[in-house]
Amino acid sequence: TGVISSLQRQLEIQESQLRRIKSEKEMLQKKLSERENQLQAMSTKFCSLREEQKHEEMMVTIEKENCSLRQIVTEQESKLAEQNKLISELQGTVSQLQAEVLTSRYHIHKQQQAQEAIQSQAETLQHRELQTRVALECITSRFERYRSKIIQATFSTAGSKPPQAEVTDEEVLEAMQKIINERMEFHQMLKQKGVR
């Protein structure tokens, strides 16, 4: 934005110089026209005079002045062309910089949208993580209660010794399997004796 403002200020200065040069050109063209009119008038006047030598000297002087004015006009026109070229180049640069600014703003807008989307996803994931942790804690608590009940039921049967230390899942499974096997053997024995 600073570069664009600087270029726009330079463009305004160049346009001011261009207007001044155009004004000077118009003034010089006006002078040239006046000189040519004077030359025409004097030429008409000198035609009626007999002093041919003075007439020729005056004509040479006026012609020199006219040549000088034409040269000045030519120089001003050249400067004007250079100024126009410079203004055109500056306008092209300003247009290019404005396009780059618009492109940068578009990319920044896209990045902001992407960042907002990522932020929203992160918040959603955090919320899900919290829900998962709560659910996990609930399941863990229920599992521990269930495991405690299984241990209590397993080691409270007749002939079982209560555990002296914390038991592993394998030990609980072995104890349960032992109870199941004993009941199956007892059931088989009752069947053999004819007891329903």
Side-chain angles (χ1 to χ4, degrees):
T1 305
V3 174
I4 291 174
S5 299
S6 176
L7 289 172
Q8 287 177 343
R9 286 197 296 271
Q10 293 181 10
L11 182 61
E12 291 174 359
I13 293 171
Q14 295 294 333
E15 288 176 346
S16 176
Q17 293 178 354
L18 177 62
R19 288 193 295 271
R20 180 176 57 80
I21 291 171
K22 285 182 177 178
S23 176
E24 291 177 358
K25 177 187 173 184
E26 290 173 358
M27 183 180 66
L28 290 171
Q29 286 178 337
K30 184 177 179 182
K31 285 184 179 181
L32 178 61
S33 179
E34 290 175 354
R35 289 287 186 179
E36 287 176 348
N37 291 335
Q38 289 177 1
L39 178 62
Q40 184 66 31
M42 292 181 73
S43 190
T44 303
K45 182 177 180 180
F46 284 137
C47 286
S48 62
L49 297 175
R50 295 180 180 178
E51 298 178 358
E52 189 173 339
Q53 184 177 2
K54 290 183 179 180
H55 172 68
E56 289 179 355
E57 290 176 356
M58 186 65 69
M59 288 291 292
V60 169
T61 302
I62 292 174
E63 187 63 30
K64 286 182 179 180
E65 291 179 355
N66 286 340
C67 288
S68 177
L69 286 173
R70 287 191 185 97
Q71 184 176 1
I72 292 172
V73 169
T74 301
E75 291 175 355
Q76 293 298 325
E77 287 177 345
S78 177
K79 289 182 180 179
L80 181 61
E82 291 178 357
Q83 294 295 329
N84 286 334
K85 182 180 178 182
L86 180 59
I87 288 172
S88 178
E89 291 175 353
L90 289 173
Q91 287 175 340
T93 303
V94 168
S95 298
Q96 182 181 356
L97 289 173
Q98 288 175 341
E100 291 177 357
V101 167
L102 290 176
T103 303
S104 298
R105 286 177 180 171
Y106 174 76
H107 288 317
I108 289 171
H109 180 65
K110 283 292 185 183
Q111 289 176 353
Q112 287 176 345
Q113 287 182 336
Q115 185 176 0
E116 290 173 358
I118 292 172
Q119 183 68 27
S120 176
Q121 291 177 359
E123 291 174 357
T124 302
L125 289 174
Q126 287 176 350
H127 182 65
R128 289 182 179 176
E129 181 186 6
L130 180 60
Q131 289 180 333
T132 304
R133 285 183 178 179
V134 171
L136 180 61
E137 289 176 1
C138 182
I139 292 171
T140 302
S141 177
R142 290 177 62 186
F143 173 76
E144 289 297 331
R145 288 197 302 270
Y146 180 67
R147 185 175 183 272
S148 177
K149 288 180 180 180
I150 290 174
I151 293 173
Q152 184 178 0
T154 302
F155 291 97
S156 63
T157 57
S160 297
K161 294 180 180 180
Q164 300 298 321
E166 184 177 356
V167 293
T168 63
D169 293 341
E170 287 78 9
E171 291 173 345
V172 174
L173 183 60
E174 288 176 1
M176 288 180 66
Q177 190 66 46
K178 182 179 178 182
I179 293 171
I180 292 170
N181 292 335
E182 289 176 352
R183 288 190 177 185
M184 287 179 65
E185 291 175 359
F186 182 69
H187 182 265
Q188 190 68 26
M189 183 180 67
L190 289 176
K191 282 179 67 177
Q192 290 176 358
K193 290 183 177 183
V195 180
R196 293 185 179 179

